[in-house]
Amino acid sequence: MSNAQHFKVAIIGGGPAGIGVAVGLAKRGVGPVVLIERRTEIGGTPMGYRKKPGGVPTFVEWTRGRVVFGEELAGRLAKRLALTDTAIRLSTQVTKIDPAEKRLTLLGQEGVCDITADAVVLTAGAREQTPAEKGWLAGARTSRVGFTRHLTGWLDGHGLLPARKPVVVGSDLIAYSAAAKMRDAGSDEPVMIDQRRGPSAGLFERFFFRRWTRPDWPGGVTAVEIKGDRYFVGIKSNDGKEWPGDGVIICGELVPNTELALLGGLAVELPSRQLQLARGQALSQPGWFAAGNVLGGFHGAQWCYFNGRRVARTVSHFL
Amino acid sequence: MTQFGTWQPKIRGRLFYNWPCGTCEEALRFISPVQLGSKPYDVAIVGAGVVGCALAYRLSMYDLRVLLVERLHDVGEGTSKANSALIHTGYDAKPGTLESELLREAAAYWPDLAARLKIPLDPIGGIMMAVTDEQERQLEVAKKNAYANRATDVSILSAAEVREREPNASSDVCGGLLVPRESMIDPFMASIAYAEVALVNGIDLLLGVDIAGVELGQALHHLITADGHRLPACRIVNAAGLGSRRLADGYGGGAFDINPRRGQFVLFDQSARSLVRHILLPVPTVNTKGVLVSPTIFGNLLVGPTAEDLPLDDPEAAHTTLEGIRRVIEGGSCLVSGLTEQPVVATYAGARCACNQGSYVIRYNDGAPGLVTLTGVRSTGLTASISLARHLIDGMQKELGLELSPDIEALDTRPESAWPGWWRRPFANDTVDARVDHGCVVCFCEVISEGEIRDALDSPLKPRTMDALKRRTRSMMGRCQGFDCQVPLAEIMSSHTGITISQLTKNGPGSELVAPSQRAFTA
């Protein structure tokens, strides 16, 4: 397509990092900028953690010593975005990238179109590791084996508790907040299963959630199998211990959403799916940058936002 | 231009789910046999795996009353859903056996059949790779075997020729056997397409109905369901796969032993697809065909299976084990280098219905007149399904006095629009213009739109479980395994069908997506 619309900068992903880039670029007077978000609203992952009076404040922002709900935090960031001139494309997915031409193919309600840009910033965030990716979980493929995103979807979206006797796989901040959420909604105290000797959440984080949950911690397991025929009935470790339950939440251990980069031919390390980064969070092709959780690791929304702001500076220097 | 989901044929058959009130639309619920009419069935097929569905499809071309009964909650949900997704040429079958004959016949049918029923098929060809000198000597044997099966298009390749065709082949490779026409296929769509056409042509389909026994009569038998309903049929075909022994016990069928053989598979992400250009097969041993490495029609890379003999009725027959997965990756790495660096998307396991009395055991008038036992259909069942159905119908004409008169209204094709899936990728602007929801992507990994989900829900063989929807659309099958899309998909399914979210299941009643509140737990 020759009539591709051209932008100065295209941002892939409308979470905290993407918003940070857009705000940062607007402060530097760079434009026009387009922000592409595949979901129906701006805000990314924190948006799923709905504000509920009296509820467990999950997806917390630690930086200023205050605790807010994810939705609140994302809403605040979205307001900052609304003050800029950034063009926003919601419910639009980037289906293909051409790194050399800096051309993106978009699919949305208006159909398929191509856009080009002088610089592209990948802020696609991350998702939780699947059981197969973890490599120490095997067994049945039953129902009620879900992720934290499912938990927030069922609980905050529909008032449904996915498990009354839950098993939580993982032990980081996300795992503790998931446990707290379920406990608060009336589940039994969850069992927390991880490969580690001790929980990966810090002492302060665990202390924060003690008000709601003190999960059973059977200590490090080396390998576990999911038991059940069509629905989950429990988890069993390779040394014969069993923990019954009626649902599993697989938490944390994020995998960056780098498939666009990988399939588009940008340098990505496998099997970790980590982007290969140069100085200033630049990717392997000139004009391509990344910010936020897509870099790998596990960062809060606030960190992602400021990381986005920082990348905006690099991008404007590049331009 | 063909529109998505515009196939709204006149459906002459009836589809019912044996589900409790509220778990699906009232019109789809099986309440009593009265819903099926009072006339007895000419043929009742127990088991809607790929073989049962193929038989129903073939029988639907004739003027017959046919019933297809399945214990699970979708067609092809047992053994048929977990296989290596290949259409074989039968070059490696034991010459002179029924299996070899059926495979050869089927291999000739498949290209045309796949085009008519819109089952994605790609004949990329296979290479049997030898990685030791001993295996290289066996290639000659394999070639002779292929010739005996009249697969005369195979040829032996040198190590250099293999490497030229497969740059990522393991450095140990010392020769290969090129097998043209080995094809990859969408394994789920085969059962679905067969059953869909059969349903449109007037066969009745009962899902979620467990057959507890058979009441034998003079000319008329009755299938007794677990709920105590009686379903009258003149002829009964036992195509129950792993359940065929239990069913055969119910009508005094002859002796055979089933020995489930578990196969575990590892599915790699699309980035691994470029590692291979053909289906790479190991040189088989006496016990097993070994671990193969094959691209999938969806652009992933599939490695497997293991072959583990399990006791009958092992509840863990479809469970994966870490040991099994390790062996699969090890086996695959013998053929292809670089496999261990590739990201894994999913692992799965299936149990093949191996029979100690041999493969493809067919017995007519088994135990009583009018009963047909079919068992021992192993991993080649997907390929052979269509010729096996032809073979069974011939046999039933001869042995059971089945009379056939063609049904002039019967369809033998599905239109392009039947499959609201990736069939017509990439998305075209006019499709999105015609219906906006075809531009609303819900499954980001596989790029499946809300419109396609709704079309699938409205298709003749109405999926009402998340797994059934997944097999029709590929949603939730991508690298995130439903992380992003499971909840939105459940919301679409709920709003489209009226089933409340808490009643939605992964694969039928009991497997609700959220734990039922009533369930009492004893820790």
Side-chain angles (χ1 to χ4, degrees), chain B residues 242-258:
Chain B
L242 292 170
S244 57
R245 180 65 264 173
R246 188 172 65 104
L247 185 65
D249 287 337
Y251 55 79
F256 64 87
D257 307 299
I258 287 176

Side-chain angles (χ1 to χ4, degrees), chain B residues 96-178:
Chain B
T97 57
L98 176 62
E99 182 176 15
S100 138
E101 205 176 292
L102 291 177
L103 284 175
R104 194 172 62 240
E105 182 185 342
Y109 282 147
W110 265 107
D112 170 58
L113 180 74
R116 270 189 294 113
L117 297 189
K118 305 295 174 289
I119 304 168
L121 180 85
D122 191 354
I124 56 167
I127 298 178
M128 182 188 278
M129 282 184 20
V131 290
T132 63
D133 294 342
E134 171 57 28
Q135 289 184 353
E136 199 192 341
R137 281 190 288 281
Q138 284 176 20
L139 290 178
E140 203 54 55
V141 181
K143 186 183 169 188
K144 279 205 188 96
N145 191 70
Y147 271 72
N149 283 319
R150 283 186 256 163
T152 48
D153 49 358
V154 301
S155 53
I156 295 219
L157 303 174
S158 69
E161 284 170 325
V162 173
R163 266 198 216 98
E164 188 190 322
R165 287 179 167 82
E166 291 292 339
N168 292 309
S170 141
S171 52
D172 298 334
V173 66
C174 46
L177 181 72
L178 182 68

Side-chain angles (χ1 to χ4, degrees), chain A residues 1 38-39 91 93 95 107-113 126-128 130-133 135-151 153-154 157-158 160-165 188 222-233 244-247 257 259 262-263 270-273, chain B residues 72-73 269-271 315-316 318-322 325 340-349 427-429 432-433 436 438-441 443-445 447-449 467 470 479-487 490-491 501-502 505-519 521-523:
Chain A
M1 266 175 268
R38 60 190 185 181
R39 293 161 73 108
S91 304
Q93 189 176 7
T95 53
L107 170 65
Q109 297 187 10
E110 297 84 40
V112 188
C113 68
R127 61 174 171 83
E128 285 166 320
T130 64
E133 281 170 334
W136 53 279
L137 268 170
R141 284 164 72 100
T142 67
S143 68
R144 302 201 278 277
V145 176
F147 301 100
T148 316
R149 175 151 297 169
H150 300 168
L151 172 68
W154 300 134
H158 299 277
L160 292 168
L161 182 59
R164 287 174 187 270
K165 194 168 170 45
D188 290 354
T222 47
V224 292
E225 280 190 23
I226 290 172
K227 294 285 164 190
D229 177 17
R230 293 168 48 236
Y231 55 87
F232 175 80
V233 297
D246 61 353
N257 290 331
E259 50 272 2
L262 176 61
L263 299 176
L270 292 175
S272 65
R273 301 177 189 264
Chain B
L72 299 171
H73 306 275
D269 202 355
Q270 291 173 4
S271 57
E316 305 198 342
H319 290 201
T320 56
T321 61
L322 293 173
I325 292 161
T340 45
E341 282 91 65
Q342 291 295 331
V344 171
V345 168
T347 55
Y348 64 89
F427 277 89
N429 263 329
V432 180
D433 286 346
V436 164
H438 281 125
C440 300
V441 178
C443 169
F444 302 129
C445 300
V447 198
I448 312 291
S449 70
D467 276 0
K470 164 169 133 176
R479 58 183 76 77
C480 86
Q481 292 284 294
F483 171 80
D484 269 308
C485 61
Q486 196 197 59
V487 175
E491 285 164 354
I501 295 240
S502 56
T505 64
K506 179 177 177 350
N507 49 17
S511 64
E512 287 77 16
L513 301 178
V514 296
S517 50
Q518 312 85 333
R519 183 166 290 149
F521 264 90
T522 46

Side-chain angles (χ1 to χ4, degrees), chain B residues 192-230:
Chain B
I192 295 166
Y194 283 144
E196 217 168 70
V197 173
L199 185 67
V200 168
N201 287 343
I203 71 117
D204 292 342
L205 176 55
L206 286 181
L207 294 173
V209 173
D210 193 12
I211 300 299
V214 179
E215 190 185 291
L216 298 172
Q218 282 299 334
L220 187 65
H221 310 297
H222 287 87
L223 290 172
I224 312 296
T225 72
D227 302 326
H229 296 307
R230 298 168 79 241

Side-chain angles (χ1 to χ4, degrees), chain B residues 73-89:
Chain B
H73 306 275
D74 186 23
V75 297
E77 196 167 57
T79 300
S80 308
K81 75 167 189 289
N83 52 39
S84 38
L86 298 178
I87 293 297
H88 303 285
T89 49

